[in-house]
Amino acid sequence: MGGSGAPDAVEMMAGVPYFDGLSEKTRKAVADEGKVISYDAGKMIVGEGGAGVGFYLILDGKVEVRKGSKVLATLGKGQFFGEMSVIDGLPRSADVLAVAPTKCWVLVSWSFGGLLKAHPEIALPMLKELVKRLRSAQSSPAS
Ligand code: CMP
């Protein structure tokens, strides 16, 4: 996968609201648990139907969440994807493509569970984001 180490991640996470509540020391420990991976524009990061063990936090760049030809969402710095399969163990619900050079901090599912148990304050802003996505999906249902 070619991770480039955590120093990058801890710096970039400083601007990510989900980790705002953590002390710098904790943020560093959390950052160390994941790995930074870079993707060229056009690269498929996650494929619909595939097995999913990675949670992705976008440190830089832009991705599109697609189902067939329909673009469900465009996500950028500070946003996450891949949480659905990590949470329920089911196949990936959509494709996620890098549409610009993109850097993600990637955490495997077992570490994701541990992260939320150790720092439950991260979960509430994530739930808020999920509710926002659900509302948005309700207002533009897939045809
Ligand atoms: P997962 O199913 O693991 O892999 C595909 C990801 O795309 C999914 O997790 C979510 O993170 C993201 N995703 C799926 N549907 C939507 C949507 N309607 N809006 C935003 N993101 C989505």
Side-chain angles (χ1 to χ4, degrees):
M1 294 215 290
S4 64
D8 231 10
V10 75
E11 260 170 49
M12 292 169 123
M13 274 180 186
V16 174
Y18 304 106
F19 298 99
D20 269 356
L22 305 179
S23 69
E24 202 170 329
K25 190 171 162 231
T26 306
R27 212 157 45 213
K28 161 117 186 58
V30 167
D32 279 345
E33 286 181 40
K35 160 172 187 178
V36 178
I37 305 181
S38 299
Y39 302 93
D40 294 332
K43 173 84 184 166
M44 170 106 75
I45 304 176
V46 154
E48 182 178 358
V53 292
F55 166 84
Y56 298 76
L57 178 70
I58 304 169
L59 298 175
D60 200 14
K62 199 201 267 191
V63 305
E64 268 179 13
V65 179
R66 294 188 195 167
K67 202 153 174 113
S69 58
K70 192 175 159 73
V71 177
L72 300 179
T74 302
L75 307 174
K77 183 175 162 66
Q79 293 185 293
F80 62 82
F81 61 91
E83 78 294 343
M84 290 173 64
S85 293
V86 160
I87 290 169
D88 66 10
L90 293 176
R92 296 294 192 193
S93 60
D95 294 329
V96 182
L97 271 102
V99 290
T102 296
K103 230 179 219 190
C104 294
W105 175 74
V106 188
L107 194 63
V108 290
S109 44
W110 46 95
S111 298
F112 180 76
L115 173 69
L116 294 189
K117 274 184 199 144
H119 307 288
E121 68 271 31
I122 295 175
L124 191 59
M126 279 189 180
L127 285 174
K128 279 191 182 155
E129 172 63 21
L130 291 177
V131 169
K132 193 172 147 197
R133 290 181 190 179
L134 181 58
R135 285 189 188 277
S136 161
Q138 283 176 341
S139 64
S140 58
S143 47

